Amino acid sequence: MVRQFVIPRVKLLKIRNPWGSGGEWTGAWGKNSTGWQKHSLVRRSCKPSKVSDGTFWMEWRDAVQFFEGGGVCMVKKAWYQYRFPGQFIGIIPSVVLKIELRKKQKLLFTLSQKDRRLQNPDDPDQLYKGLLISVTGHNAQKGTQQIVALSTDNPEVHPPEKYEYIVARDVGLELELDPTKGPFYVIPRIMTTNQNGPKDFTLGMLAPNKSTARGLRVSFVHLPDTCPTLRNVVSFPMNGEAATHVRFQYKKRGGAPRVKAGITVFDATHVTETYLHPQ
């Protein structure tokens, strides 16, 4: 949450410590700051908490000094959630989503790499790679695939003007797909080859409707190393795709996550997870 004021001229950002308590900001506009008493309009607008609940306010200039990045949490509680694991072999993703649909539909895609906070200091995954989600659609006039959306800094520009990789743990892209421009390919991208071998990633998809054979058809394919889109070509013929088998996580509305496997999302079979009990 962001609040901007003219008197005093200040921009405030509300932050919550995910651990729930402790570790709160004690500088300007913290809970004990005198600014709240001096500026009643700001206090009434922000309603700062007086208890140690993990929430606090910071001035924007302090936030950008102490935090190296941030993101927006897209809450889609009623949507279906899918998580597809994969690897970058060089710059080639092991799995790409092929999407066909019968009516316009909004979808949200995410691309994630391992959280470096969970890695050892000498682990190669401590260094994030530049990530990008590219989406291609069918150009009926030319008979080719062409870029229709990228997870760039300005996703409102269509068609995208340039490829911009973002060095972060996660990148995301929300867009509406038109069935007349399908099939679509959702392609995970990495800026440079990982020098330490394959690089794990998770491609996420959130959809208001479940993937079905007669509605939202989602299939898993592998693109050949020679596919032009992997060299940032905007328009190209799609040749040589191959079906690939993926084991993935699926969560329906209000349900618990389940594991499925197959070459499509809509026709995948449930996998029974086995857990070893301690002796």
Side-chain angles (χ1 to χ4, degrees), residues 125-164:
D125 283 322
Q126 275 283 330
L127 297 176
Y128 287 153
K129 296 289 186 178
L131 298 179
L132 173 74
I133 302 171
S134 66
V135 180
T136 70
H138 182 64
N139 186 322
Q141 292 182 339
K142 297 181 179 180
T144 60
Q145 284 284 312
Q146 69 178 36
I147 297 294
V148 296
L150 297 170
S151 58
T152 60
D153 287 338
N154 188 1
E156 299 301 322
V157 177
H158 296 291
E161 296 177 339
K162 58 182 178 179
Y163 288 80
E164 293 177 328

Short mmCIF file of all heavy atoms in Angstrom, two decimals, residues 125-164:
data_model
loop_
_atom_site.label_atom_id
_atom_site.label_comp_id
_atom_site.label_asym_id
_atom_site.label_seq_id
_atom_site.Cartn_x
_atom_site.Cartn_y
_atom_site.Cartn_z
N ASP A 125 23.19 -21.03 -7.21
CA ASP A 125 21.86 -20.43 -7.30
C ASP A 125 21.72 -19.18 -6.45
O ASP A 125 20.66 -18.56 -6.42
CB ASP A 125 20.79 -21.45 -6.91
CG ASP A 125 20.53 -22.46 -8.03
OD1 ASP A 125 20.56 -22.04 -9.20
OD2 ASP A 125 20.32 -23.64 -7.73
N GLN A 126 22.79 -18.80 -5.73
CA GLN A 126 22.79 -17.54 -5.01
C GLN A 126 22.66 -16.36 -5.98
O GLN A 126 22.15 -15.30 -5.62
CB GLN A 126 24.07 -17.39 -4.19
CG GLN A 126 24.03 -18.05 -2.82
CD GLN A 126 23.25 -17.23 -1.82
OE1 GLN A 126 23.19 -16.01 -1.90
NE2 GLN A 126 22.63 -17.90 -0.87
N LEU A 127 23.13 -16.54 -7.20
CA LEU A 127 23.07 -15.48 -8.20
C LEU A 127 21.85 -15.69 -9.09
O LEU A 127 21.75 -16.70 -9.79
CB LEU A 127 24.35 -15.47 -9.04
CG LEU A 127 25.65 -15.17 -8.29
CD1 LEU A 127 26.84 -15.29 -9.23
CD2 LEU A 127 25.60 -13.78 -7.67
N TYR A 128 20.92 -14.75 -9.05
CA TYR A 128 19.75 -14.84 -9.90
C TYR A 128 20.11 -14.57 -11.35
O TYR A 128 20.97 -13.74 -11.65
CB TYR A 128 18.68 -13.84 -9.46
CG TYR A 128 17.98 -14.20 -8.16
CD1 TYR A 128 17.44 -13.20 -7.35
CD2 TYR A 128 17.84 -15.51 -7.76
CE1 TYR A 128 16.78 -13.52 -6.17
CE2 TYR A 128 17.19 -15.84 -6.59
CZ TYR A 128 16.66 -14.84 -5.79
OH TYR A 128 16.02 -15.16 -4.63
N LYS A 129 19.42 -15.26 -12.25
CA LYS A 129 19.57 -15.04 -13.68
C LYS A 129 18.44 -14.14 -14.18
O LYS A 129 17.35 -14.10 -13.60
CB LYS A 129 19.55 -16.37 -14.43
CG LYS A 129 20.70 -17.31 -14.11
CD LYS A 129 22.00 -16.79 -14.69
CE LYS A 129 23.13 -17.80 -14.49
NZ LYS A 129 24.39 -17.34 -15.09
N GLY A 130 18.69 -13.44 -15.28
CA GLY A 130 17.64 -12.65 -15.90
C GLY A 130 16.58 -13.55 -16.51
O GLY A 130 16.90 -14.47 -17.27
N LEU A 131 15.31 -13.32 -16.17
CA LEU A 131 14.20 -14.15 -16.63
C LEU A 131 13.23 -13.34 -17.49
O LEU A 131 13.14 -12.12 -17.37
CB LEU A 131 13.44 -14.74 -15.45
CG LEU A 131 14.20 -15.68 -14.50
CD1 LEU A 131 13.27 -16.14 -13.38
CD2 LEU A 131 14.78 -16.87 -15.24
N LEU A 132 12.50 -14.06 -18.32
CA LEU A 132 11.52 -13.44 -19.21
C LEU A 132 10.48 -14.49 -19.58
O LEU A 132 10.81 -15.66 -19.78
CB LEU A 132 12.21 -12.92 -20.47
CG LEU A 132 11.32 -12.37 -21.59
CD1 LEU A 132 10.76 -11.01 -21.21
CD2 LEU A 132 12.12 -12.26 -22.89
N ILE A 133 9.22 -14.08 -19.65
CA ILE A 133 8.16 -14.93 -20.20
C ILE A 133 7.77 -14.34 -21.55
O ILE A 133 7.43 -13.16 -21.64
CB ILE A 133 6.92 -14.97 -19.30
CG1 ILE A 133 7.28 -15.47 -17.90
CG2 ILE A 133 5.84 -15.86 -19.91
CD1 ILE A 133 6.14 -15.33 -16.89
N SER A 134 7.85 -15.15 -22.60
CA SER A 134 7.40 -14.68 -23.92
C SER A 134 6.21 -15.52 -24.35
O SER A 134 6.17 -16.73 -24.12
CB SER A 134 8.53 -14.77 -24.95
OG SER A 134 8.90 -16.11 -25.19
N VAL A 135 5.24 -14.86 -24.96
CA VAL A 135 4.03 -15.53 -25.45
C VAL A 135 3.91 -15.25 -26.94
O VAL A 135 3.95 -14.09 -27.37
CB VAL A 135 2.77 -15.05 -24.71
CG1 VAL A 135 1.53 -15.76 -25.25
CG2 VAL A 135 2.91 -15.27 -23.21
N THR A 136 3.79 -16.30 -27.73
CA THR A 136 3.63 -16.15 -29.17
C THR A 136 2.23 -16.59 -29.58
O THR A 136 1.61 -17.44 -28.94
CB THR A 136 4.66 -16.98 -29.95
OG1 THR A 136 4.35 -18.38 -29.81
CG2 THR A 136 6.07 -16.72 -29.44
N GLY A 137 1.73 -15.98 -30.66
CA GLY A 137 0.43 -16.34 -31.21
C GLY A 137 0.54 -16.54 -32.72
O GLY A 137 1.54 -16.17 -33.34
N HIS A 138 -0.50 -17.12 -33.31
CA HIS A 138 -0.47 -17.46 -34.73
C HIS A 138 -0.86 -16.26 -35.59
O HIS A 138 -1.89 -15.61 -35.35
CB HIS A 138 -1.42 -18.62 -35.00
CG HIS A 138 -1.42 -19.08 -36.42
ND1 HIS A 138 -0.31 -19.63 -37.02
CD2 HIS A 138 -2.39 -19.07 -37.38
CE1 HIS A 138 -0.59 -19.94 -38.27
NE2 HIS A 138 -1.85 -19.61 -38.51
N ASN A 139 -0.05 -15.96 -36.58
CA ASN A 139 -0.35 -14.93 -37.58
C ASN A 139 -0.91 -15.65 -38.81
O ASN A 139 -0.16 -16.27 -39.57
CB ASN A 139 0.90 -14.14 -37.93
CG ASN A 139 0.62 -12.97 -38.85
OD1 ASN A 139 -0.20 -13.07 -39.76
ND2 ASN A 139 1.30 -11.85 -38.62
N ALA A 140 -2.23 -15.58 -39.00
CA ALA A 140 -2.88 -16.34 -40.07
C ALA A 140 -2.43 -15.87 -41.45
O ALA A 140 -2.34 -16.68 -42.38
CB ALA A 140 -4.39 -16.22 -39.93
N GLN A 141 -2.17 -14.58 -41.61
CA GLN A 141 -1.78 -14.06 -42.92
C GLN A 141 -0.41 -14.58 -43.36
O GLN A 141 -0.21 -14.95 -44.52
CB GLN A 141 -1.77 -12.53 -42.90
CG GLN A 141 -3.15 -11.91 -42.75
CD GLN A 141 -3.11 -10.40 -42.78
OE1 GLN A 141 -2.07 -9.79 -42.53
NE2 GLN A 141 -4.24 -9.78 -43.09
N LYS A 142 0.52 -14.65 -42.43
CA LYS A 142 1.87 -15.09 -42.76
C LYS A 142 2.09 -16.57 -42.50
O LYS A 142 3.09 -17.14 -42.94
CB LYS A 142 2.89 -14.28 -41.95
CG LYS A 142 2.89 -12.79 -42.26
CD LYS A 142 3.96 -12.07 -41.44
CE LYS A 142 3.99 -10.58 -41.75
NZ LYS A 142 5.03 -9.87 -40.95
N GLY A 143 1.17 -17.19 -41.75
CA GLY A 143 1.35 -18.59 -41.41
C GLY A 143 2.50 -18.83 -40.46
O GLY A 143 3.15 -19.88 -40.51
N THR A 144 2.77 -17.86 -39.60
CA THR A 144 3.90 -17.95 -38.67
C THR A 144 3.43 -17.67 -37.25
O THR A 144 2.31 -17.21 -37.01
CB THR A 144 4.99 -16.94 -39.03
OG1 THR A 144 4.43 -15.61 -38.96
CG2 THR A 144 5.53 -17.19 -40.43
N GLN A 145 4.31 -17.95 -36.31
CA GLN A 145 4.12 -17.52 -34.93
C GLN A 145 4.82 -16.18 -34.75
O GLN A 145 5.87 -15.94 -35.35
CB GLN A 145 4.71 -18.54 -33.96
CG GLN A 145 3.88 -19.80 -33.78
CD GLN A 145 2.66 -19.58 -32.90
OE1 GLN A 145 2.75 -19.01 -31.83
NE2 GLN A 145 1.51 -20.05 -33.36
N GLN A 146 4.23 -15.31 -33.91
CA GLN A 146 4.89 -14.04 -33.62
C GLN A 146 4.65 -13.66 -32.17
O GLN A 146 3.66 -14.08 -31.56
CB GLN A 146 4.41 -12.93 -34.55
CG GLN A 146 2.98 -12.49 -34.34
CD GLN A 146 2.60 -11.35 -35.29
OE1 GLN A 146 3.05 -11.30 -36.43
NE2 GLN A 146 1.78 -10.44 -34.80
N ILE A 147 5.56 -12.88 -31.62
CA ILE A 147 5.47 -12.46 -30.23
C ILE A 147 4.23 -11.58 -30.04
O ILE A 147 4.01 -10.62 -30.79
CB ILE A 147 6.73 -11.68 -29.81
CG1 ILE A 147 7.97 -12.58 -29.89
CG2 ILE A 147 6.57 -11.12 -28.40
CD1 ILE A 147 7.97 -13.72 -28.90
N VAL A 148 3.42 -11.91 -29.03
CA VAL A 148 2.24 -11.09 -28.71
C VAL A 148 2.35 -10.46 -27.33
O VAL A 148 1.66 -9.47 -27.04
CB VAL A 148 0.95 -11.92 -28.80
CG1 VAL A 148 0.71 -12.39 -30.22
CG2 VAL A 148 0.96 -13.10 -27.84
N ALA A 149 3.22 -11.00 -26.46
CA ALA A 149 3.37 -10.41 -25.13
C ALA A 149 4.69 -10.86 -24.51
O ALA A 149 5.16 -11.98 -24.76
CB ALA A 149 2.21 -10.82 -24.22
N LEU A 150 5.27 -9.97 -23.71
CA LEU A 150 6.49 -10.25 -22.96
C LEU A 150 6.34 -9.71 -21.55
O LEU A 150 5.66 -8.71 -21.33
CB LEU A 150 7.71 -9.59 -23.62
CG LEU A 150 8.10 -10.02 -25.03
CD1 LEU A 150 9.16 -9.09 -25.59
CD2 LEU A 150 8.62 -11.45 -25.03
N SER A 151 6.99 -10.36 -20.60
CA SER A 151 6.96 -9.88 -19.21
C SER A 151 8.00 -8.78 -19.02
O SER A 151 8.93 -8.90 -18.23
CB SER A 151 7.23 -11.04 -18.24
OG SER A 151 8.48 -11.65 -18.53
N THR A 152 7.84 -7.69 -19.77
CA THR A 152 8.78 -6.58 -19.72
C THR A 152 8.34 -5.55 -18.69
O THR A 152 7.33 -5.72 -18.00
CB THR A 152 8.88 -5.91 -21.09
OG1 THR A 152 7.58 -5.43 -21.45
CG2 THR A 152 9.34 -6.89 -22.15
N ASP A 153 9.09 -4.45 -18.61
CA ASP A 153 8.74 -3.39 -17.67
C ASP A 153 7.44 -2.70 -18.05
O ASP A 153 6.80 -2.08 -17.21
CB ASP A 153 9.87 -2.35 -17.60
CG ASP A 153 11.08 -2.89 -16.86
OD1 ASP A 153 10.90 -3.84 -16.07
OD2 ASP A 153 12.18 -2.36 -17.06
N ASN A 154 7.04 -2.78 -19.31
CA ASN A 154 5.81 -2.12 -19.76
C ASN A 154 4.96 -3.12 -20.54
O ASN A 154 4.97 -3.13 -21.77
CB ASN A 154 6.12 -0.90 -20.62
CG ASN A 154 4.86 -0.09 -20.93
OD1 ASN A 154 3.76 -0.43 -20.48
ND2 ASN A 154 5.02 0.98 -21.69
N PRO A 155 4.19 -3.97 -19.84
CA PRO A 155 3.41 -5.00 -20.52
C PRO A 155 2.22 -4.46 -21.30
O PRO A 155 1.54 -5.20 -22.00
CB PRO A 155 2.95 -5.90 -19.37
CG PRO A 155 2.91 -4.99 -18.18
CD PRO A 155 4.04 -4.02 -18.38
N GLU A 156 1.94 -3.13 -21.19
CA GLU A 156 0.81 -2.55 -21.90
C GLU A 156 1.14 -2.27 -23.37
O GLU A 156 0.25 -1.95 -24.15
CB GLU A 156 0.37 -1.26 -21.21
CG GLU A 156 -0.09 -1.45 -19.77
CD GLU A 156 -1.27 -2.40 -19.65
OE1 GLU A 156 -2.15 -2.37 -20.53
OE2 GLU A 156 -1.30 -3.19 -18.70
N VAL A 157 2.40 -2.34 -23.74
CA VAL A 157 2.80 -2.07 -25.12
C VAL A 157 2.64 -3.34 -25.95
O VAL A 157 3.30 -4.35 -25.68
CB VAL A 157 4.26 -1.57 -25.19
CG1 VAL A 157 4.68 -1.36 -26.64
CG2 VAL A 157 4.40 -0.27 -24.41
N HIS A 158 1.75 -3.32 -26.93
CA HIS A 158 1.52 -4.47 -27.81
C HIS A 158 1.58 -4.02 -29.26
O HIS A 158 0.89 -3.08 -29.65
CB HIS A 158 0.15 -5.10 -27.51
CG HIS A 158 0.03 -5.69 -26.15
ND1 HIS A 158 0.71 -6.82 -25.76
CD2 HIS A 158 -0.69 -5.30 -25.06
CE1 HIS A 158 0.40 -7.12 -24.50
NE2 HIS A 158 -0.44 -6.20 -24.06
N PRO A 159 2.36 -4.69 -30.10
CA PRO A 159 3.28 -5.76 -29.71
C PRO A 159 4.48 -5.20 -28.95
O PRO A 159 4.78 -4.01 -29.07
CB PRO A 159 3.70 -6.36 -31.05
CG PRO A 159 3.59 -5.23 -32.01
CD PRO A 159 2.41 -4.42 -31.55
N PRO A 160 5.16 -6.01 -28.16
CA PRO A 160 6.29 -5.52 -27.37
C PRO A 160 7.37 -4.93 -28.26
O PRO A 160 7.62 -5.39 -29.37
CB PRO A 160 6.79 -6.78 -26.65
CG PRO A 160 5.63 -7.72 -26.68
CD PRO A 160 4.90 -7.44 -27.95
N GLU A 161 8.01 -3.89 -27.76
CA GLU A 161 9.03 -3.20 -28.55
C GLU A 161 10.41 -3.85 -28.42
O GLU A 161 11.21 -3.78 -29.34
CB GLU A 161 9.11 -1.73 -28.11
CG GLU A 161 7.82 -0.95 -28.39
CD GLU A 161 7.90 0.47 -27.87
OE1 GLU A 161 8.74 0.73 -26.99
OE2 GLU A 161 7.13 1.32 -28.35
N LYS A 162 10.70 -4.46 -27.28
CA LYS A 162 12.03 -5.04 -27.10
C LYS A 162 11.99 -6.10 -26.01
O LYS A 162 11.08 -6.15 -25.19
CB LYS A 162 13.03 -3.95 -26.74
CG LYS A 162 12.69 -3.15 -25.49
CD LYS A 162 13.71 -2.05 -25.24
CE LYS A 162 13.34 -1.22 -24.02
NZ LYS A 162 14.33 -0.16 -23.76
N TYR A 163 13.01 -6.95 -26.03
CA TYR A 163 13.16 -7.98 -25.02
C TYR A 163 13.89 -7.38 -23.82
O TYR A 163 14.98 -6.83 -23.96
CB TYR A 163 13.97 -9.16 -25.56
CG TYR A 163 13.23 -10.00 -26.58
CD1 TYR A 163 13.12 -9.59 -27.90
CD2 TYR A 163 12.64 -11.21 -26.21
CE1 TYR A 163 12.45 -10.37 -28.84
CE2 TYR A 163 11.97 -11.99 -27.13
CZ TYR A 163 11.88 -11.56 -28.44
OH TYR A 163 11.21 -12.33 -29.35
N GLU A 164 13.29 -7.50 -22.64
CA GLU A 164 13.92 -7.00 -21.42
C GLU A 164 13.84 -8.09 -20.36
O GLU A 164 12.76 -8.43 -19.88
CB GLU A 164 13.22 -5.74 -20.92
CG GLU A 164 13.38 -4.54 -21.84
CD GLU A 164 12.61 -3.33 -21.33
OE1 GLU A 164 11.55 -3.51 -20.70
OE2 GLU A 164 13.08 -2.21 -21.57
#
